[in-house]
Amino acid sequence: MTEVRGVVATGKGKPVEVTTIIVPDPGPGEAVVRVQACGVCHTDLHYREGGINDEFPFLLGHEAAGVVESVGAGVVDLEPGDFVVLNWRAVCGVCRACRRGRPQYCFDTHNAAQPMTLLDGTALSPALGIGAFAEKTLVHAGQCTKVDPAARPAVAGLLGCGVMAGIGAAVNTGGAGPGDSVAVIGCGGVGDGAIAGASFAGARRIIAVDKDPAKLAWAEEFGATHTVNAAEVDTVAAVRELTDGFGADLVIDAVGVPATYEQAFYARDLAGTVVLVGVPTPEMKLELPLLEVFGRGGALKSSWYGDCLPSRDFPMLVEMYLQGRLPLEKFVTEEISLDQVESAFTKMHDGEVLRSVVVF
């Protein structure tokens, strides 16, 4: 076992603490990864605020890249020295989704069996089964996806959650393709990921919607062809005006509140698609006229992790980044230390950054 520093949330709404944690040696099917970089994702803030569950204390961090340090018994496709992006969809291969050839929907993903702990033996709940705001972390070997080591860890690690969720919402879930019109509501890290995905998929018109002019400017860097300031104009009317009065072929809600979902529903063309990738809270309710749901046709979808398959998507997207076709580096607003995670949460909440990335 190893003692390392990690960021722990001890209670609902309390500031996080940097403290010493114990990382066990890897058991069967497990791996210890020396973390090189980990992005500060909104999901980590949800954990700190008790919005996921109440299984405190949490070891936060999950959007990470690093180098495999050691592996346990039975691990055959991973070895020390491999550069990996961590993922929270380690497919099981045997559940009903996997057996039907749909591993991207795996219903029984793997996590490490052993807990990481505080010095007094208190078991930690790792965020999304990863816990990467730490110098080292213990994961299931299937949570390690090998990618080209030429990629900078601070950039590659972003595929571990938010950026992949956005890209996948556009490409995998929404099926964006050449000639399509795509509107994205909410231009944070996930929304800009969706814009980047729609751009490299060949969408003809990409409309970024947000209330923050700075975020709209960021969206243009990822491929938005038009911007809509939702604080100044009606979102639905503006999207329709930019799509010859019809609405967009694909509308992605990267906010996840009833008001933005309703905007997405009415801003799409007949037979168009709505994709929800923003995460709502448990108390939120939605009311839509059922006749409109029927009469407008198309599809209403939710996108969980961008319907990605890490073993397929991560290496491909890293290669696109290295070829200059995917501007992943533009997501990194700042590089910080472990001790700055709490202040990074404030910056993220206030919309000052796309991603703060902890670099070790």
Side-chain angles (χ1 to χ4, degrees):
M1 63 180 60
T2 308
E3 293 185 9
V4 300
R5 296 170 73 239
V7 175
V8 174
T10 59
K12 184 176 180 178
K14 294 182 179 180
V16 299
E17 300 177 5
V18 179
T19 188
T20 301
I21 65 170
I22 302 295
V23 180
D25 295 332
E30 296 175 340
V32 169
V33 175
R34 177 168 52 85
V35 180
Q36 295 179 308
C38 184
V40 180
C41 178
H42 215 286
T43 303
D44 293 304
L45 184 57
H46 282 320
Y47 272 104
R48 195 201 71 176
E49 296 301 303
I52 306 294
N53 58 54
D54 60 357
E55 297 172 6
F56 292 94
F58 293 110
L59 175 58
L60 300 182
H62 59 278
E63 198 176 72
V67 174
V68 174
E69 188 163 276
S70 57
V71 299
V75 177
V76 296
D77 56 354
L78 203 63
E79 60 185 23
D82 285 339
F83 178 60
V84 297
V85 175
L86 300 182
N87 74 79
W88 43 273
R89 177 172 281 161
V91 300
C92 71
V94 296
C95 73
R96 60 192 186 280
C98 289
R99 290 198 307 268
R100 296 175 68 188
R102 301 171 181 173
Q104 68 272 26
Y105 302 128
C106 179
F107 300 134
D108 192 21
T109 59
H110 293 306
N111 294 319
Q114 300 180 88
M116 292 178 278
T117 68
L118 298 174
L119 283 174
D120 64 5
T122 301
L124 293 163
S125 299
L128 291 175
I130 293 176
F133 283 153
E135 294 159 333
K136 297 179 185 179
T137 190
L138 176 75
V139 294
H140 190 279
Q143 292 178 278
C144 299
T145 304
K146 290 187 285 189
V147 299
D148 192 328
R152 283 205 313 123
V155 173
L158 299 180
L159 295 174
C161 189
V163 173
M164 182 70 254
I167 292 174
V171 179
N172 297 334
T173 313
D180 285 345
S181 57
V182 178
V184 178
I185 302 175
C187 299
V190 174
D192 283 344
I195 289 168
S199 179
F200 75 67
R204 172 177 58 92
R205 190 169 298 167
I206 304 171
I207 305 164
V209 182
D210 205 288
K211 294 181 177 180
D212 186 339
K215 289 185 176 180
L216 292 173
W218 285 336
E220 291 181 313
E221 295 186 29
F222 294 99
T225 60
H226 300 77
T227 61
V228 172
N229 190 324
E232 298 176 352
V233 299
D234 178 83
T235 294
V236 174
V239 172
R240 287 185 172 277
E241 183 179 352
L242 290 168
T243 53
D244 303 317
F246 298 119
D249 299 306
L250 169 64
V251 186
I252 297 168
D253 178 6
V255 179
V257 299
T260 54
Y261 190 89
E262 186 173 342
Q263 290 170 346
F265 180 81
Y266 287 109
R268 67 181 176 132
D269 197 359
L270 294 173
T273 298
V274 172
V275 171
L276 174 65
V277 67
V279 182
T281 54
E283 77 281 359
M284 291 179 180
K285 306 291 183 183
L286 180 69
E287 183 174 331
L288 289 171
L290 192 58
L291 183 60
E292 289 280 356
V293 175
F294 171 77
R296 298 180 68 82
L300 308 179
K301 297 182 175 183
S302 296
S303 185
W304 189 67
Y305 206 5
D307 289 339
C308 79
L309 185 60
S311 60
R312 174 196 65 196
D313 295 340
F314 289 7
M316 173 192 68
L317 293 172
V318 166
E319 184 175 351
M320 291 182 65
Y321 157 68
L322 292 172
Q323 293 172 348
R325 298 165 57 202
L326 180 60
L328 290 178
E329 73 285 346
K330 293 183 179 180
F331 286 95
V332 181
T333 307
E334 62 174 1
E335 297 184 5
I336 62 173
S337 69
L338 273 181
D339 303 287
Q340 296 173 291
V341 168
E342 182 65 34
S343 62
F345 282 147
T346 301
K347 292 179 182 179
M348 178 178 62
H349 182 269
D350 293 343
E352 297 178 19
V353 296
L354 275 179
R355 273 297 184 270
S356 301
V357 180
V358 175
V359 175
F360 296 87

